């Protein structure tokens, strides 16, 4: 089953490699990984989407918890939560296909953020599934490049990921 | 007080109460070495290879419970230390490794003797640091000792760029440090203790299985009280030997791949496994499919990630073994009238049957020296009071099986990583810690050659260790596996072109002895241990075909032990 684990990490050099190294050393999957500073400059927030049965997820959480640079962590998928991923798709559409592209963009609430002759860049922010759907539909166009950000997210309940969670 | 970074390193070690540092100098560490030269409080021991430094610090830590300290230079200094760091990591041994690094402006430019020390050590340290400024040195060393020696202990590496060790700042050693991301050890909840004791009191086929965690927590007295109150059978892992006295009737011996028949059968047939400070690793469980099919598992460990990793627990308690055992003993005292030794009477009858098999029996010989016989005579010669280190292989198992341990911190071996070359340098660390005690290194002709250069260190610092070389001219454990699983194709397991160990020992300034007759074993050991101020290298020419029994081969379960072919068989 797919899980999204949010981690507050000391904003120190090498901290990210500890997390990435843990996953590769213990054979855990990383489907997506995002990391960026937070409103607290001493902390980075890292989001990992991974798959595994309950026992594997339990091990991932425990092993992450042992890393000295990990300040707090939370599996947001066990609660009501929101997740977002940004995707940029560069594609070619001739005049005839442009109308199709507009219809697809409208349907997905995606935007055409760059337009030059027959080349377009489509941007969408949405759930992982929605991004997958968009890419499926856009397959009928000539896709040149795809850039996905990976998933980030947070719970929509009172359960907040904060420093004293560990 | 204004000090250079190098002096701050040494002053910080003093503040941590460090008396001994094992190391080897080199360019990036020279400022620190200069600082060592300026003082007498912290003694530096010059080893002959950085692997030896880490094993010596490790042996010191295992024998004392205090963190071992290592100082190496950058590049090859660090890479040579990695094996010893990984050895300590796998066995949860507290250690602080200080490594020189190239000057900060050179980092990342493939400078001479540059290696990414933090990167290369990351998978085998509890934590590591790259110091960025001279002000960081003291607080980082404080953190390193704190992390290394609290919770589940482990090695911590501090990498210090050379230019920073020359800079000057005000030295203040912090009284305490705050690490918001380093979790304090959880303590057991009273409700967990009540539930655990309830399960314990209802068990009719229990077994207490304890590991290195009991040794690290110094919980042997609490364990003994717990086991004796209940009258339960107790087994120790390779890492846990000494926690329960070898000659106590409640002790079933070591369990696992080369454990006794009674310990492994009791694990297999138990209705309750009480695991304390042990991690159900593959050498303990055999195949997980056949593991203890009818047992409930009560698992006590300081590290939550150990629980439900290999074996799912029914009752889990996260906490320090000493605290949890103390709480359980208190609860047992409260419920003293519910302790019923009768409940396990049939179980004990069954265990006595298994024990009657005498699974460690070997065929004595008066023509060829049996390695087990040497270990038994070593036990007698030292009245069971020696600190015994070992390398890795058959000799390690013979030492574990036949040297009866009655106290913790006496049996010192590389259990998790299985590092050949560990024994001799580890024995040096032990000898530095316990100058008046007998220290024996049980080794083989393969292992001893992996850190043989430390014989020079032993000479320089007058370390009268007794090296017990069980020389069967084979990598014995490899040969044994090849005999059992590779149709006796002995690929590269024969040790050809061996040195003359007697002359070798003498060339290092030690005493060498060759013993090739069983009748000479006892007298030779007596003679060697009587030489209290000399290192004696005893080269015992042993039976080439002897194997370690019992054995649970890979993929087999506890009930499928391979027993000695000509030995006693179960009915």
């Amino acid at each position: 089953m797919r899980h999204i684990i949010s981690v507050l990490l000391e904003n120190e050099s090498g901290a990210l490699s500890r997390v990435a190294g843990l996953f590769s050393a213990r054979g855990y999957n990383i489907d997506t990984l995002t990391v960026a500073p937070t409103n607290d400059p001493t902390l980075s927030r890292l989001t990992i989407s991974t798959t595994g049965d309950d026992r594997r997820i339990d091990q991932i959480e425990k092993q992450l918890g042992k890393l000295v640079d990990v300040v707090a962590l939370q599996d947001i998928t066990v609660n009501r939560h929101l997740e977002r991923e940004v995707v940029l798709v560069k594609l070619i559409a001739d005049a005839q296909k442009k109308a199709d592209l507009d219809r697809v963009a409208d349907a997905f609430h995606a935007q055409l953020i760059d337009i030059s002759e027959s080349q377009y860049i489509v941007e969408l922010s949405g759930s992982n599934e929605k991004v997958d759907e968009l890419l499926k539909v856009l397959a009928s166009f000539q896709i040149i490049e795809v850039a996905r950000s990976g998933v980030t997210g947070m719970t929509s309940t009172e359960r907040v990921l904060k420093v004293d969670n560990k | 007080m204004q000090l250079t970074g190098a002096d701050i390193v040494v002053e910080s070690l003093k503040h941590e109460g460090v008396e001994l540092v094992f190391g080897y100098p080199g360019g990036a560490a020279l400022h620190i070495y200069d600082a060592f030269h300026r003082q007498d409080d912290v003694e530096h021991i010059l080893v002959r290879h950085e692997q030896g430094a880490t094993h010596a610090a490790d042996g010191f830590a295992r024998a004392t419970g205090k963190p071992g300290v290592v100082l190496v230079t950058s590049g090859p200094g660090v890479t040579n230390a990695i094996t010893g760091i990984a050895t300590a990591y796998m066995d949860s041994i507290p250690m602080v490794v200080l490594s020189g690094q190239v000057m900060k402006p050179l980092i990342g430019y493939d400078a001479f003797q540059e290696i990414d020390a933090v990167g290369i050590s990351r998978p085998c340290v509890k934590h590591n640091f790259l110091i960025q400024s001279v002000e960081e040195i003291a607080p980082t060393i404080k953190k390193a000792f704190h992390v290394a020696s609290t919770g589940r202990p482990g090695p911590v590496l501090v990498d210090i760029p050379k230019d920073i060790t020359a800079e000057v700042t005000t030295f203040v050693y912090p009284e305490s440090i705050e690490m918001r991301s380093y979790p304090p050890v959880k303590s057991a909840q009273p409700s967990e203790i009540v539930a655990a004791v309830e399960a314990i009191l209802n068990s009719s086929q229990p077994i207490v299985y304890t590991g290195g965690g009991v040794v690290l927590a110094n919980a042997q007295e609490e364990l003994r009280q717990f086991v004796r109150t209940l009258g339960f059978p107790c087994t120790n892992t390779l890492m846990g030997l000494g926690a329960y006295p070898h000659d106590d009737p409640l002790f079933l011996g070591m369990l696992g791949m080369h454990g006794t028949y009674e310990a492994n059968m009791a694990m297999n047939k138990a209705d309750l496994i009480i695991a304390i400070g042990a991690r159900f690793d593959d050498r303990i469980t055999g195949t997980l499919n056949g593991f203890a099919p009818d047992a409930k598992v009560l698992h006590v460990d300081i590290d939550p990630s150990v629980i439900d990793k290999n074996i799912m627990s029914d009752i889990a308690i996260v906490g320090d073994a000493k605290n949890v055992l103390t709480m359980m003993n208190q609860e047992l005292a409260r419920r003293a009238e519910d302790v019923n030794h009768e409940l396990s009477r049939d179980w004990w009858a069954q265990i006595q049957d298994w024990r009657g098999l005498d699974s460690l029996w070997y065929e004595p010989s008066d023509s060829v020296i049996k390695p087990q016989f040497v270990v038994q005579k070593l036990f007698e010669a030292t009245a069971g009071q020696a600190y015994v280190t070992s390398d890795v292989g058959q000799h390690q198992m013979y030492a574990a099986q036949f040297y009866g341990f009655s106290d913790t911190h006496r049996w010192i071996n590389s259990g998790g990583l299985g590092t050949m070359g560990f024994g001799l340098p580890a024995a040096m660390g032990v000898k530095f810690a316990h100058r008046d005690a007998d220290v024996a290194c049980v080794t083989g002709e393969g292992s001893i050659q992996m850190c043989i250069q430390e014989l020079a260190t032993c000479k320089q610092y007058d370390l009268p260790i007794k090296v017990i070389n069980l020389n069967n001219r084979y990598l014995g454990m490899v040969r044994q596996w090849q005999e059992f699983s590779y149709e006796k194709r002995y690929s590269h397991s024969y040790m050809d072109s061996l040195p003359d160990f007697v002359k070798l020992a003498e060339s290092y300034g030690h005493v060498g002895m060759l013993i090739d007759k069983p009748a000479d074993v006892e007298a030779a050991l007596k003679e060697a241990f009587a030489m209290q101020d000399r290192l004696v290298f005893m080269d015992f020419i042993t039976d080439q075909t002897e194997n370690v029994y019992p054995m649970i081969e890979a993929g087999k379960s506890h009930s499928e032990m391979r027993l000695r072919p000509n030995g006693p068989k179960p009915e």
Side-chain angles (χ1 to χ4, degrees):
Chain A
M1 200 187 140
R2 179 168 168 270
H3 289 255
I4 300 171
I5 299 170
S6 293
V7 179
L8 289 180
L9 200 62
E10 296 286 0
N11 193 5
E12 280 178 14
S13 68
L16 178 60
S17 67
R18 293 183 207 280
V19 175
L22 170 68
F23 273 72
S24 62
R26 293 192 181 268
Y28 307 146
N29 289 324
I30 297 182
D31 295 332
T32 74
L33 170 67
T34 68
V35 58
T38 65
N39 55 331
D40 177 347
T42 67
L43 290 174
S44 297
R45 184 169 176 130
L46 186 131
T47 309
I48 303 156
S49 68
T50 183
T51 45
D53 57 21
D54 288 351
R55 199 162 160 190
R56 160 125 335 180
I57 299 299
D58 177 59
Q59 266 297 306
I60 290 175
E61 290 185 33
K62 285 172 171 172
Q63 295 292 348
L64 279 171
K66 277 171 72 173
L67 294 178
V68 172
D69 283 337
V70 169
V71 182
L73 68 101
Q74 186 183 37
D75 178 357
I76 64 169
T77 34
V78 300
N79 288 96
R80 198 151 49 80
H81 67 282
L82 292 170
E83 58 171 279
R84 285 292 178 271
E85 182 174 12
V86 173
V87 64
L88 303 178
V89 185
K90 189 188 289 174
L91 49 75
I92 289 172
D94 57 21
Q96 193 194 338
K97 293 280 271 181
K98 174 65 168 57
D100 293 345
L101 182 60
D102 286 336
R103 270 199 300 280
V104 171
D106 277 351
F108 279 86
H109 299 292
Q111 291 185 307
L112 303 184
I113 57 168
D114 190 82
I115 301 174
S116 58
E117 297 203 24
S118 59
Q119 184 175 296
Y120 302 88
I121 295 179
V122 183
E123 178 203 340
L124 174 72
S125 163
S127 69
N128 183 263
E129 292 81 8
K130 194 172 171 192
V131 170
D132 286 346
E133 271 307 304
L134 176 71
L135 288 173
K136 225 180 275 171
V137 172
L138 290 180
S140 63
F141 296 85
Q142 189 187 339
I143 294 178
I144 300 169
E145 211 176 330
V146 175
R148 297 178 70 153
S149 66
V151 172
T152 189
M154 58 174 60
T155 61
S156 49
T157 66
E158 308 85 68
R159 286 206 60 216
V160 177
L161 181 62
K162 56 181 193 293
V163 170
D164 60 1
N165 272 17
K166 188 162 177 177
Chain B
M1 189 170 31
Q2 293 290 111
L3 291 179
T4 66
D7 288 311
I8 289 173
V9 169
V10 177
E11 284 299 317
S12 299
L13 294 178
K14 275 188 218 171
H15 277 79
E16 288 295 332
V18 174
E19 291 169 7
L20 274 182
V21 173
F22 298 91
Y24 204 100
L30 283 185
H31 293 320
I32 301 174
Y33 272 86
D34 204 38
F36 266 95
H37 200 259
R38 286 193 279 274
Q39 55 83 51
D40 294 319
D41 296 327
V42 187
E43 190 184 2
H44 178 274
I45 305 303
L46 178 70
V47 295
R48 296 300 183 270
H49 187 290
E50 290 88 348
Q51 183 182 347
T54 48
H55 291 331
D58 184 325
F60 177 86
R62 292 183 203 233
T64 61
K66 298 180 204 162
V69 184
V70 176
L71 172 60
V72 295
T73 191
S74 64
V78 171
T79 56
N80 280 344
I82 290 292
T83 297
I85 296 172
T87 303
Y89 179 70
M90 287 293 273
D91 291 343
S92 308
I93 303 305
M95 180 186 289
V96 172
V97 180
L98 307 170
S99 55
Q101 180 55 282
V102 300
M103 293 192 296
K104 237 183 127 192
L106 292 180
I107 290 177
Y109 289 89
D110 300 319
F112 177 66
Q113 292 194 328
E114 180 185 357
I115 193 76
D116 172 9
V118 162
I120 202 168
S121 65
R122 197 191 61 230
C124 60
V125 292
K126 187 172 172 187
H127 195 54
N128 56 22
F129 301 90
L130 171 60
I131 300 230
Q132 304 282 355
S133 70
V134 68
E135 291 78 18
E136 283 182 18
I137 293 176
T140 304
I141 290 177
K142 178 88 185 168
K143 283 182 191 172
F145 277 87
H146 177 63
V147 171
S149 54
T150 53
R152 181 178 178 179
V156 176
L157 178 134
V158 182
D159 199 32
I160 315 174
K162 182 176 186 179
D163 49 337
I164 289 175
T165 57
E167 290 171 17
V168 173
T169 191
T170 309
F171 173 70
V172 185
Y173 201 66
E175 289 284 313
S176 63
I177 38 108
E178 198 187 320
M179 297 181 77
R180 62 178 174 182
S181 59
Y182 181 63
V185 177
K186 289 204 174 107
S187 42
Q189 300 301 309
S191 60
E192 296 172 332
I193 300 294
V194 168
V197 167
E198 183 63 28
I200 286 166
L201 293 174
N202 285 315
S203 167
S204 58
Q205 295 176 204
I207 182 151
V208 180
Y209 141 65
T210 81
V214 169
V215 177
L216 290 162
N218 284 312
Q220 62 273 19
E221 290 312 320
E222 291 77 6
L223 173 69
R224 291 168 190 198
Q225 188 190 333
F226 176 76
V227 170
R228 284 169 184 157
T229 301
L230 291 162
F232 280 5
C234 180
T235 180
N236 293 156
T237 68
L238 179 69
M239 293 308 300
L241 289 175
Y244 204 84
H246 72 101
D247 53 356
D248 186 294
L250 300 180
F251 189 58
L252 305 190
M254 180 173 77
L255 80 164
M257 182 172 269
H258 295 294
T260 66
Y261 186 70
E262 55 269 35
N264 286 332
M265 290 302 287
M267 286 291 280
N268 187 250
K269 303 294 182 204
D271 68 2
L272 177 68
I273 293 174
I274 304 162
I276 305 171
R279 59 189 173 91
F280 292 99
D281 83 274
D282 55 288
R283 288 298 196 259
I284 293 299
T285 61
T287 178
L288 293 175
N289 292 331
F291 179 76
D294 304 319
K296 271 190 163 184
V297 172
L298 161 59
H299 198 172
V300 177
D301 205 282
I302 199 164
D303 177 359
S305 76
V306 164
I307 289 166
D308 297 343
K309 183 171 73 177
N310 298 333
I311 296 290
M312 291 302 285
S313 62
D314 297 280
I315 305 171
I317 301 180
V318 176
D320 173 83
K322 196 180 184 83
N323 291 341
V324 175
L325 277 164
T326 301
M327 291 171 80
M328 291 205 290
N329 285 337
Q330 286 164 351
E331 178 66 8
L332 283 170
R334 200 178 66 79
R335 297 194 58 184
E337 73 280 9
D338 297 328
V339 175
N340 179 6
H341 288 204
E342 286 302 304
L343 209 54
S344 54
R345 181 198 281 262
D346 292 348
W347 178 233
W348 268 111
Q350 172 70 77
I351 288 170
Q352 297 301 5
D353 256 17
W354 291 327
R355 187 180 257 167
L357 187 75
D358 190 12
S359 62
L360 297 183
W361 178 86
Y362 64 93
E363 192 167 10
S365 167
D366 50 18
S367 57
V368 58
I369 297 176
K370 292 287 183 176
Q372 300 95 326
F373 177 70
V374 177
V375 175
Q376 285 175 318
K377 291 296 158 191
L378 172 66
F379 174 84
E380 290 171 15
T382 55
Q385 293 300 307
Y387 287 83
V388 179
T389 73
S390 89
D391 275 294
V392 171
Q394 284 185 325
H395 67 267
Q396 177 188 24
M397 293 301 121
Y398 296 136
Q401 290 177 332
F402 289 91
Y403 195 99
F405 293 94
S406 300
D407 207 351
T408 51
H409 306 287
R410 298 280 171 148
W411 164 236
I412 287 161
N413 81 129
S414 168
L417 196 66
T419 308
M420 292 170 70
F422 177 79
L424 177 61
M428 299 184 334
V430 176
K431 194 69 191 174
F432 275 112
H434 302 290
R435 282 281 187 179
D436 298 329
D438 285 331
V439 179
C441 166
V442 177
T443 183
E445 80 289 350
S447 285
I448 192 68
Q449 291 191 80
M450 284 210 185
C451 272
I452 191 99
Q453 73 286 343
E454 299 306 332
L455 285 174
T457 313
C458 293
K459 180 64 188 169
Q460 182 174 345
Y461 296 96
D462 292 321
L463 302 173
I465 293 159
K466 305 298 179 265
V467 178
I468 313 295
N469 189 36
L470 301 177
N471 182 349
N472 64 353
R473 285 83 70 214
Y474 272 111
L475 301 176
M477 192 58 89
V478 173
R479 191 203 55 74
Q480 177 169 339
W481 281 54
Q482 288 171 336
E483 179 185 331
F484 291 172
S485 305
Y486 297 88
E487 296 171 319
K488 302 189 179 183
R489 291 186 298 276
Y490 296 130
S491 180
H492 296 270
S493 53
Y494 185 70
M495 282 265 104
D496 211 337
S497 304
L498 286 170
D500 178 332
F501 285 109
V502 172
K503 282 186 186 160
L504 182 93
E506 287 169 356
S507 77
Y508 277 108
H510 302 306
V511 178
M513 286 172 123
L514 178 73
I515 305 100
D516 57 4
K517 290 184 197 65
D520 296 341
V521 169
E522 195 168 349
L525 282 163
K526 275 195 183 131
E527 187 187 343
F529 278 94
M531 283 187 256
Q532 291 187 355
D533 56 347
R534 299 298 300 274
L535 184 148
V536 184
F537 192 113
M538 308 185 74
D539 190 20
F540 291 94
I541 306 303
T542 60
D543 187 348
Q544 291 198 280
T545 59
E546 188 55 66
N547 287 325
V548 183
Y549 290 103
M551 180 175 184
I552 303 172
E553 288 168 85
K556 297 284 175 66
S557 74
H558 282 153
S559 56
E560 301 171 283
M561 266 167 284
R562 187 170 185 141
L563 300 169
R564 188 170 288 280
N566 59 342
K569 291 284 179 299
E571 283 158 23

